[in-house]
């Protein structure tokens, strides 16, 4: 199984960006996927997670600004971001917990995810 991310790049504050991540090769049914990010000098943090039933969870810092969605047929997770803070500048990583159907806070825990993408950089300018 391979996670392939796309959609990062430069974005102005006030703009929007959508990240995509496909879990290539996974044929199972139950799973969770999420986006994490790591900004300069910061630890990696969970941003948003979703399971195959569509249940979601968000970090407080992005609630109301970011939206995670999942296409079960394509095994693809999306993160639509309305960018408004400098701290949104980070490397964004896609995680997949294949065979792991999680809910609530567990969707934002690194230990939930057994596959990771290489990351895609988002850089916010004012």
């Amino acid at each position: 199984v391979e996670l392939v991310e796309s959609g990062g790049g430069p974005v102005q504050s006030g703009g929007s960006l959508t990240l995509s991540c496909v879990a290539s090769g996974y044929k199972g049914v139950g799973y969770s996927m999420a986006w994490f990010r790591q900004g300069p000098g910061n630890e990696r943090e969970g941003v948003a997670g979703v399971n195959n039933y569509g249940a979601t969870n968000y970090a407080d810092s992005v609630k109301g600004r970011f939206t995670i969605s999942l296409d079960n047929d394509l095994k693809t997770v999306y993160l639509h971001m309305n960018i408004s803070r400098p701290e949104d500048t980070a490397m964004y990583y896609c995680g997949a917990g294949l065979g792991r159907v999680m809910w609530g806070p567990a969707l934002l825990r690194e230990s939930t995810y057994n596959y990771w993408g290489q990351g895609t950089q988002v850089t916010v300018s004012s």
Side-chain angles (χ1 to χ4, degrees):
V1 174
E2 182 182 15
L3 299 188
V4 180
E5 299 144 329
S6 61
V11 58
Q12 283 193 324
S13 183
S16 63
L17 204 62
T18 299
L19 307 181
S20 302
C21 172
V22 57
S24 176
Y26 181 59
K27 304 299 183 185
V29 177
Y31 62 111
S32 302
M33 294 188 78
W35 290 95
F36 286 70
R37 69 184 180 185
Q38 186 168 19
N42 295 331
E43 295 185 355
R44 190 157 67 177
E45 62 172 350
V47 173
V50 60
N51 67 22
N52 61 285
Y53 293 103
T56 60
N57 198 20
Y58 294 89
D60 288 344
S61 60
V62 306
K63 281 179 182 175
R65 301 189 302 120
F66 290 10
T67 302
I68 191 169
S69 59
L70 182 65
D71 186 320
N72 281 314
D73 291 334
L74 297 179
K75 298 297 193 290
T76 300
V77 65
Y78 304 93
L79 185 69
H80 180 74
M81 305 183 292
N82 291 318
I83 300 294
S84 60
R85 300 181 185 180
E87 57 264 36
D88 293 332
T89 291
M91 184 71 79
Y92 284 73
Y93 296 92
C94 172
L98 304 182
R100 299 177 180 182
V101 182
M102 296 297 184
W103 305 80
L107 287 170
L108 298 183
R109 292 189 194 126
E110 285 200 42
S111 58
T112 289
Y113 302 96
N114 47 7
Y115 292 88
W116 292 93
Q118 293 299 308
T120 184
Q121 178 68 38
V122 173
T123 303
V124 179
S125 61
S126 57

